[in-house]
Amino acid sequence: MKQNNILYIAVGVIIGFSVAVFALMESPEIQTTAPTISSDDIYPKFKNQDPQKLSYTLIAQDANIEVAPGVQAKVWTYNGTVPAPTLRFNEGDDVTVRFVNDTPYAHTIHFHGTHDSANDGVFPQIMPEEEYTYQFVAHEAGMFMYHCHAFPTSEHVRMGMFGAMIIDPVVRPMEPAREYFFTLSEFDPNNALEHFTEYYMINGYANQYMDNPIRVVQGELARFYVVGVGGVLQSPFHVHSTIFKVWPSGILWNEPYHAQTHLIGNGDTAIIEAKWDEPGTYLFHVHGIQEERGSMAIIEVLEDDSSLLDVQTPSSNKGSYSMIEWQEDMILSLEQPQIISYENLGESETIDAEKISTDQVSIVKDSWNPDIVESYDPLAVQVSPRTTVTWTNDDFVVHTVTDIEESFDSGFIQAGSTWSYTFEEPGDWDYFCTLHPWMKGTVSVN
């Protein structure tokens, strides 16, 4: 019996080895090196047979707005509201955005998605009273965020410089639905960089949809385009009394799945579809402490669409209705923005300060804040020719040291780092920080 067992094992090994060899011989060639791939292999881009050329203008404007009932705050905006206007086009469209900076700060527009460096919205930083033109092809279908990427970026986003960008598919159109958009953000009226903020808003105004419910129709598909603006806390987006379908990261070519709550990371998005069979009053909100500080909302499920006919508009998705224009009108009426105008933006000023003989300059702590009058210590230095002056960034955010006449530029000086420049010839050099242009200093060489 023992000999029979040994024989069976031996035969099994021989058969198994033979099958493996045969499978290896019949299998495709094994890849031993990483293949060369293009972006088209990573993400499907489809040909739009009839692309449009679309143009938009976004203006950086400071404004005083209402952020909650009876609460006024100064914000930084594109075109006066928080969030900024929703941009919408089809995949394959050729998009141009003219950006004008009417504020005392450097700003940019960074669009999520594919584009080259000149249109990435980081370099260059657009100075006060300057403008820049961004141009890109809307390759990817889905939901994307755009926002300011001046430094510190978290401050610029927290202050209100963000918006939604919807790129509709030309291949595989979406099912007809009633469409809405939601930006989930953080804001503190007293400190833009507060870790845990006073408000967690939906579309820039705390609890606005408690008094002005989102109205959908029973049995009709509702589509939510959701942006997780965030800052510190992530956004667990929860819809009551239904299980919804979600396209993760707002990418239409991702495989959708069903969820009760979907976590949206900061800077990420989601496209969510839901349906209710029974009329009634339901909720959606960001699950957690956020719902107690502004992110609670009511969904009113109607028996029919008769009360929505005057506020709905046609959608780029065939057969769909958009409620986004109604939402943006609501934002404008609640916030009531008062645009702040400035004079003499971009003009340089002569530093009137006592000149100190030293070759060391500190970029002082909290100099990113325009309330700090003396951003450099000392503001004015005096040195001899061929002296090397060193700047130390004692702030916690990045800065630059840039000559107004552009004879020298430090590039980004990280927190705790230094930068040096040797002044060979006599003369006076006024400099500033390109990221925070109110920061000004001077070097006199004699």
Side-chain angles (χ1 to χ4, degrees):
M1 186 67 178
K2 184 176 181 181
Q3 289 178 338
N4 288 340
N5 288 340
I6 295 173
L7 178 61
Y8 294 152
I9 293 172
V11 171
V13 170
I14 293 171
I15 292 174
F17 180 76
S18 301
V19 170
V21 170
F22 178 78
L24 184 62
M25 291 174 63
E26 294 296 315
S27 65
E29 182 179 353
I30 294 175
Q31 189 79 45
T32 57
T33 58
T36 301
I37 58 177
S38 69
S39 59
D40 286 344
D41 295 317
I42 297 172
Y43 184 88
K45 299 174 184 175
F46 297 97
K47 182 70 173 178
N48 185 342
Q49 300 299 325
D50 187 27
Q52 303 178 76
K53 286 184 176 293
L54 301 174
S55 297
Y56 302 85
T57 296
L58 293 176
I59 304 172
Q61 297 172 310
D62 291 355
N64 289 312
I65 68 170
E66 187 169 281
V67 297
V71 180
Q72 295 286 324
K74 180 181 178 180
V75 294
W76 301 346
T77 79
Y78 298 114
N79 293 17
T81 60
V82 180
T86 300
L87 306 182
R88 189 164 192 173
F89 24 84
N90 292 330
E91 60 180 332
D93 284 348
D94 189 334
V95 180
T96 297
V97 179
R98 174 175 171 258
F99 174 52
V100 181
N101 187 358
D102 281 349
T103 79
Y105 313 94
H107 291 301
T108 72
I109 310 176
H110 169 59
F111 303 93
H112 287 201
T114 301
H115 40 251
D116 60 16
S117 176
N119 296 287
D120 191 44
V122 178
F123 310 104
Q125 302 275 304
I126 312 308
M127 302 304 294
E129 214 168 54
E130 292 184 353
E131 64 177 72
Y132 191 81
T133 298
Y134 298 98
Q135 189 278 327
F136 57 90
V137 174
H139 287 297
E140 299 90 357
M143 172 65 165
F144 300 86
M145 179 184 179
Y146 71 91
H147 61 91
C148 182
H149 217 300
F151 300 95
T153 302
S154 57
E155 178 194 20
H156 287 245
V157 174
R158 275 271 187 91
M159 285 292 289
M161 303 193 77
F162 58 84
M165 185 169 64
I166 300 172
I167 304 177
D168 292 306
V170 294
V171 176
R172 298 194 302 177
M174 302 190 76
E175 185 178 348
R178 190 170 296 275
E179 303 168 338
Y180 308 79
F181 87 105
F182 303 112
T183 59
L184 313 176
S185 63
E186 305 173 346
F187 183 72
D188 195 290
N190 301 309
N191 180 5
L193 295 178
E194 188 71 48
H195 192 79
F196 295 114
T197 58
E198 185 172 349
Y199 297 111
Y200 296 86
M201 291 112 134
I202 301 176
N203 288 346
Y205 193 94
N207 291 321
Q208 67 169 296
Y209 298 118
M210 294 298 287
D211 296 323
N212 306 281
I214 292 297
R215 293 173 292 168
V216 304
V217 179
Q218 71 175 99
E220 182 182 77
L221 188 66
R223 180 174 298 124
F224 300 158
Y225 294 94
V226 189
V227 181
V229 180
V232 173
L233 298 181
Q234 309 294 300
S235 300
F237 191 78
H238 176 59
V239 181
H240 281 216
S241 299
T242 186
I243 299 299
F244 57 81
K245 182 193 290 187
V246 55
W247 281 264
S249 202
I251 305 296
L252 285 176
W253 314 131
N254 281 345
E255 191 69 29
Y257 74 97
H258 294 88
Q260 55 186 308
T261 299
H262 177 70
L263 180 62
I264 305 175
N266 297 338
D268 207 358
T269 71
I271 299 175
I272 288 171
E273 289 185 348
K275 186 183 293 186
W276 289 263
D277 294 329
E278 298 293 335
T281 300
Y282 305 95
L283 293 176
F284 73 92
H285 55 89
V286 178
H287 224 292
I289 191 174
Q290 296 99 309
E291 64 190 275
E292 314 300 341
R293 300 187 182 186
S295 79
M296 185 71 74
I298 288 176
I299 295 176
E300 185 179 348
V301 179
L302 308 174
E303 293 183 356
D304 58 60
D305 65 354
S306 58
S307 64
L308 303 180
L309 298 179
D310 291 339
V311 294
Q312 69 188 23
T313 58
S315 167
S316 301
N317 287 315
K318 186 177 180 180
S320 293
Y321 296 107
S322 174
M323 303 297 290
I324 293 175
E325 185 175 322
W326 168 77
Q327 290 181 277
E328 292 186 327
D329 288 344
M330 181 71 66
I331 291 166
L332 185 62
S333 67
L334 289 173
E335 293 182 348
Q336 302 179 41
Q338 302 297 312
I339 304 301
I340 301 171
S341 298
Y342 298 95
E343 296 181 358
N344 305 317
L345 284 175
E347 291 188 5
S348 61
E349 299 177 3
T350 302
I351 300 298
D352 183 20
E354 179 184 359
K355 293 181 173 62
I356 306 298
S357 296
T358 181
D359 60 1
Q360 301 292 320
V361 179
S362 168
I363 302 173
V364 303
K365 183 178 182 295
D366 294 331
S367 56
W368 62 271
N369 186 337
D371 293 335
I372 303 299
V373 177
E374 297 188 359
S375 304
Y376 302 100
D377 184 18
L379 284 175
V381 302
Q382 181 173 284
V383 297
S384 302
R386 295 178 295 282
T387 298
T388 299
V389 178
T390 298
W391 284 263
T392 301
N393 185 358
D394 293 318
D395 200 5
F396 71 95
V397 302
V398 66
H399 291 288
T400 79
V401 173
T402 305
D403 177 31
I404 290 176
E405 301 298 327
E406 301 182 350
S407 63
F408 60 82
D409 183 5
S410 66
F412 294 153
I413 308 173
Q414 299 296 326
S417 298
T418 63
W419 180 77
S420 299
Y421 183 78
T422 301
F423 293 86
E424 300 287 351
E425 304 293 334
D428 293 318
W429 281 265
D430 293 324
Y431 64 88
F432 71 116
C433 173
T434 59
L435 307 179
H436 312 95
W438 61 86
M439 296 173 56
K440 295 182 172 70
T442 188
V443 176
S444 295
V445 183
N446 50 44

